Amino acid sequence: MYCCMLSRSFHIKRNKLIQLTRASFSQNPQSWDTSSKLFSRTTYRCTHSPVSGSLWQPLTHRTHQPAASSCCMSSTVHRRRLPSAFPVIDGELHPVHRHVYEANLRNSLICQQKYLEHKEKIMKGGGENAIARHTLRNRKVLVRDRLRMLLDDEDYLELSPFAGLGLPYGDIPSAGCLTGIGKINGLWCVFIANDATVKGGTAYPITVKKQLRAQVVAMQNRLPSVYLVDSGGAFLPLQSEIFPDSNHGGRTFFNEAVMSAMKIPQVAVVCGSCTAGGAYVPTMSEEAVIVHRIGTIFLGGPPLVKAATGEEVSPEDLGGARLHSEVSGCVDHFAAAEIEAYECTRNIISTLNYELPEEDSTQAEEPLYNVDDLMGLAPHCYNHSMDVRLIVSRLTDGSRFQEFKARYGTPLLTGFARIEGHQVGIVANNGELTYEASLKGSHFVQLCDQRDIPLIFLQNTAPEPAHTFSQTKAESNTNRLKAQGSMMSAVACASVPKITVVIGGCHGGESYAMCGRAFDPNFLFLWPNARVSILAPGHSDTFVQTEEEITQINEMLEEESSAFFSTGRLWDDGVILPQDTRKVLSKCLKIIKQQEYQMSREKMRTPLLRL
C-alpha cells in the first residue's frame, strides 16, 4: 500500500477514532490520481498491519477493481454517471393556453423573419465590390471559406454574429471579424478571424470589443485560440474609442500575455495585412504561420515609409513572408498558399497536450415534446408568459426534471436535469423574484456550486420594480431586496460554469440575480423576442410626469430594448432561435467540459484525504 498518513493530532482514548487531517503520498507518485479521485474512494478502518506497518487498511471500494490495484484507479477504467431517476415534467399544452400561445407564435414569427434578414445581411460581408476586390485583385480566400479549411466541419458556435449592425457610425457587418468556437482535430478552439471585405479590414470600436469578448471566452473556458489576421489597423476617425482606455485595443495584447501564462495555447495565421497594433498579435502568439505574397507584418506600411523617408519599398520587402520567416524570425512557419497555412495550423493544434475521451456512441434521450413549440412559448411580453415548465420540458433529456423546493418560492423554478447527457442545475423565472423565491435561488445556486454542477439560467424578469404603496408593502420590498442581494452574492461567488438564456425580459435588479451580463456568465444568449432594458416599454408612467415624457421614453425603450439592438452592441453572445436552444446549450456544455482533458495545466496541490 502506497498511501501513508501524516497526523497533526494523534490521540487514542478508549474506542475513539484517530483524527487525521493531512494526507500525502510517497514511494509511488501515481498512487494518488487527482484526475480520478472522485471516482476511486476507499473506506478505511484503524488497525495495525504487520506487513505494511500502516495503521489504515482498506475495508471497501466503491469501484470494482482488481485487488492488486485497490489503492489507485487505472486510467483505463471508464467513468459513468449515476443513473438518472428524474421524473418526467408535464409539458402538455392545454386548450386554456391556446390564446396566449397563438399570440406568442405570431410575434415569434415576426422576430424570426427579422433574424433571417440580419443573417442574410451579414453573410454578404462588405458587399459585392469588396468581395470581388478581395478575391480577384488580392487573390485572397473569403473568411468563411478560410474557416471551412481550418475547422473539422461547419458545426461551429459563432458568437455575436449580428454585432456591429445599427450602430451610430453605420453598419459594420459581424463587427468586421468572425469569432466563435469550432473543432480542429477534434479539439474545441476559439477563432478570431478578420473579414477584410468589411471596411478593408479596419478595426472599429465594436471590432475591438468583439475580439476582447472572444479572448474572455477563451480564458473562462481554457480554450486554445487561433487568430486569422487580415487587418489594416484602427479606424483613425474613431481612435478615441479604440486606443486609450483599459478595455480598448491594447487589452488584446495584455490578454495574449495572460492567456500564455495560463497555459492556453495561441496560434496566429497571417493571411493578409498585419499593420500597426495588429502586428503584435502574431509576435505574441506561441506559434505563427504566414502566407507567401499576401501575408505582411509591419508597424507602418509602404505609404508611411515613403511619407517619412521618401523611399519606395514593396510590402513583401518591408514585411513579407520570406523576410519574417528567414530573417527576422517573427513567424515560425512559411506557407506557399492559404490552404497550406491552415493545414499547418491543424498540425500545430495536434501537438497540444490534450487527451480527449472517446466519443460516446450512446444517443441522449430526446425531449418528449416538440422543440418547435418553443416559438409559441417565447413570451410576446411579460403578461404573455406561460408556465416555464413548458419550456424546460422541451429542453431536457426525456423531459425529465428533478425539482428542488417545489412548494416554496414558486415564482422561481429550480431543479436538476440533463441536456445531451450533461447534468445541469436550472434556475428559471416563473414570476416576480419574491423574498421566498430569492432565498430559494440562493440556496440552490450554492448547492450546485457545492456539487460542481453547471448552472443554466432561463431569464424572464419583471418589467418594472415592485411599487411601494403602504408601510407593509415597504417592509415587504425591503425584505425582498435583502433576499435578492443574497442571491446576487451566491451567483457572483459561484465558481461553476454559468449559461444564461434570456427567454423574455431582462429588466432591473432581478436580471442581476438571474446572472445577467454584469455577473460574467460563461455564455449569454437572447431569444429574438427578448427585451433588455432597465424598464420594459410601456412601464415608465410612474417614473415621469408629463404625457410627452412618457411617450418619448416609451418610444426610446421600445427601440433600445430590442434583442437586435442589444446584440448589435455586443451585450450578449448572440441571438438564437428558441428551437435551437437545446443544441446550443449542449454545445456550450461540451466546450466547457473540454478543459478537464488538458494535461499541461497548472500543477494541482495534493488534496486532503477526507475521512
Side-chain angles (χ1 to χ4, degrees):
M1 178 177 182
Y2 297 119
C3 291
C4 70
M5 316 302 296
L6 298 177
S7 173
R8 289 182 183 169
S9 60
F10 187 89
H11 179 67
I12 303 179
K13 185 176 181 181
R14 295 181 183 176
N15 294 327
K16 288 187 177 179
L17 290 177
I18 297 173
Q19 299 175 12
L20 293 175
T21 58
R22 190 176 176 188
S24 67
F25 63 91
S26 61
Q27 300 180 24
N28 184 353
Q30 295 179 350
S31 61
W32 186 273
D33 183 0
T34 57
S35 65
S36 58
K37 63 182 183 295
L38 295 177
F39 302 90
S40 178
R41 296 185 179 177
T42 305
T43 305
Y44 290 86
R45 66 180 172 89
C46 180
T47 182
H48 180 74
S49 168
V51 177
S52 64
S54 173
L55 286 164
W56 294 88
Q57 297 298 315
L59 287 177
T60 59
H61 298 276
R62 296 188 187 180
T63 55
H64 302 287
Q65 301 172 27
S69 61
S70 60
C71 199
C72 61
M73 182 177 177
S74 169
S75 61
T76 59
V77 174
H78 295 288
R79 303 176 181 182
R80 66 178 181 85
R81 281 200 173 274
L82 294 173
S84 171
F86 299 159
V88 174
I89 190 172
D90 182 16
E92 286 290 343
L93 288 168
H94 301 289
V96 70
H97 300 142
R98 181 176 299 171
H99 174 70
V100 176
Y101 180 89
E102 289 177 352
N104 288 340
L105 181 60
R106 286 193 296 271
N107 180 67
S108 290
L109 290 173
I110 294 171
C111 292
Q112 180 175 271
Q113 182 59 36
K114 193 170 184 180
Y115 173 93
L116 296 174
E117 289 171 3
H118 276 64
K119 189 172 183 179
E120 183 181 0
K121 188 171 187 177
I122 64 163
M123 293 300 288
K124 294 177 181 178
E128 293 181 3
N129 292 336
I131 289 173
R133 183 167 59 250
H134 183 85
T135 55
L136 299 177
R137 194 180 77 182
N138 298 333
R139 297 181 181 179
K140 291 195 249 182
V141 178
L142 294 174
V143 64
R144 293 190 184 274
D145 293 330
R146 286 171 171 169
L147 292 177
R148 290 187 185 97
M149 289 189 280
L150 175 68
L151 304 177
D152 293 351
D153 51 49
E154 295 186 47
D155 188 28
Y156 55 82
L157 178 65
E158 187 173 352
L159 299 176
S160 305
F162 302 153
L165 297 182
L167 298 182
Y169 45 80
D171 285 343
I172 316 294
S174 294
C177 71
L178 269 60
T179 63
I181 307 167
K183 280 189 175 182
I184 303 176
N185 291 333
L187 190 70
W188 290 106
C189 299
V190 166
F191 59 81
I192 301 173
N194 295 114
D195 185 356
T197 69
V198 178
K199 311 293 183 182
T202 306
Y204 282 72
I206 194 68
T207 312
V208 174
K209 188 175 182 180
K210 188 172 182 179
Q211 291 173 346
L212 293 179
R213 173 57 188 162
Q215 288 182 316
V216 169
V217 168
M219 287 189 279
Q220 276 187 318
N221 303 289
R222 297 191 62 88
L223 296 170
S225 300
V226 178
Y227 304 90
L228 304 186
V229 190
D230 188 0
S231 172
F235 182 64
L236 287 178
L238 293 175
Q239 66 83 28
S240 64
E241 300 176 45
I242 297 173
F243 174 73
D245 208 355
S246 59
N247 279 321
H248 285 171
R251 194 74 176 188
T252 304
F253 318 123
F254 175 87
N255 286 345
E256 279 196 77
V258 171
M259 290 164 70
S260 180
M262 293 173 65
K263 294 194 174 182
I264 297 174
Q266 298 170 88
V267 181
V269 181
V270 183
C271 48
S273 298
C274 199
T275 311
Y280 294 110
V281 173
T283 55
M284 294 185 70
S285 298
E286 289 185 2
E287 292 192 55
V289 184
I290 191 167
V291 184
H292 188 39
R293 292 190 178 88
I294 63 172
T296 55
I297 303 174
F298 32 60
L299 290 176
L304 193 62
V305 173
K306 185 176 181 180
T309 67
E311 181 183 358
E312 292 190 3
V313 61
S314 69
E316 189 67 27
D317 291 336
L318 185 63
R322 289 194 181 278
L323 176 79
H324 287 305
S325 59
E326 298 173 4
V327 180
S328 73
C330 282
V331 297
D332 310 293
H333 307 276
F334 176 95
E338 284 204 59
I339 189 167
E340 183 182 328
Y342 304 122
E343 190 61 38
C344 180
T345 305
R346 290 177 59 83
N347 292 339
I348 293 170
I349 295 298
S350 67
T351 68
L352 303 183
N353 198 7
Y354 282 79
E355 288 188 1
L356 300 178
E358 294 182 5
E359 290 288 340
D360 190 358
S361 58
T362 57
Q363 287 288 335
E365 198 176 0
E366 291 295 319
L368 300 180
Y369 305 98
N370 193 342
V371 294
D372 291 334
D373 293 341
L374 291 170
M375 291 283 283
L377 296 174
H380 168 52
C381 63
Y382 191 74
N383 294 333
H384 283 66
S385 301
M386 300 168 72
D387 191 337
V388 77
R389 291 174 180 81
L390 298 173
I391 293 175
V392 171
S393 66
R394 286 156 175 82
L395 299 178
T396 62
D397 293 358
S399 300
R400 297 180 181 277
F401 183 71
Q402 175 67 32
E403 192 166 353
F404 177 78
K405 284 186 182 292
R407 299 194 176 194
Y408 182 79
T410 53
L412 188 71
L413 180 72
T414 57
F416 301 98
R418 290 211 168 97
I419 296 178
E420 295 281 351
H422 299 273
Q423 183 160 316
V424 296
I426 293 178
V427 182
N429 286 119
N430 212 17
E432 292 186 14
L433 202 56
T434 61
Y435 169 78
E436 294 82 6
S438 300
L439 291 182
K440 171 181 173 178
S442 178
H443 184 178
F444 183 72
V445 167
Q446 293 177 71
L447 181 63
C448 289
D449 192 37
Q450 181 75 8
R451 296 178 182 175
D452 287 328
I453 296 174
L455 284 160
I456 291 177
F457 293 85
L458 302 179
Q459 186 178 140
N460 181 23
T461 57
E464 60 180 336
H467 297 293
T468 303
F469 297 116
S470 65
Q471 181 70 26
T472 305
K473 188 65 176 176
E475 292 174 359
S476 173
N477 288 345
T478 300
N479 289 333
R480 177 190 291 200
L481 283 173
K482 288 191 290 186
Q484 287 180 1
S486 173
M487 185 174 173
M488 286 183 200
S489 296
V491 172
C493 297
S495 59
V496 294
K498 298 177 280 284
I499 304 171
T500 302
V501 181
V502 181
I503 61 174
C506 174
H507 306 298
E510 291 186 14
S511 68
Y512 304 141
M514 290 298 294
C515 200
R517 186 65 151 185
F519 278 62
D520 273 346
N522 292 57
F523 298 97
L524 186 148
F525 301 102
L526 306 180
W527 282 2
N529 59 291
R531 292 280 178 181
V532 182
S533 58
I534 195 168
L535 283 175
H539 290 269
S540 63
D541 52 329
T542 56
F543 299 94
V544 290
Q545 301 297 322
T546 66
E547 286 294 327
E548 184 180 352
E549 287 179 330
I550 292 173
T551 303
Q552 183 179 357
I553 289 178
N554 282 334
E555 287 177 354
M556 178 193 71
L557 290 173
E558 184 69 33
E559 178 190 353
E560 295 184 357
S561 65
S562 160
F564 299 98
F565 186 94
S566 168
T567 200
R569 284 149 182 79
L570 239 158
W571 298 342
D572 51 72
D573 293 314
V575 175
I576 60 173
L577 295 175
Q579 58 268 34
D580 295 334
T581 305
R582 174 177 160 87
K583 182 172 66 176
V584 171
L585 289 176
S586 168
K587 201 171 289 185
C588 291
L589 292 166
K590 290 175 184 175
I591 289 166
I592 289 168
K593 191 175 180 62
Q594 178 177 274
Q595 60 187 295
E596 299 176 11
Y597 311 132
Q598 185 178 0
M599 309 305 292
S600 56
R601 297 172 63 181
E602 294 86 356
K603 291 184 179 178
M604 297 179 65
R605 295 180 180 179
T606 305
L608 296 176
L609 181 67
R610 299 185 66 86
L611 302 178

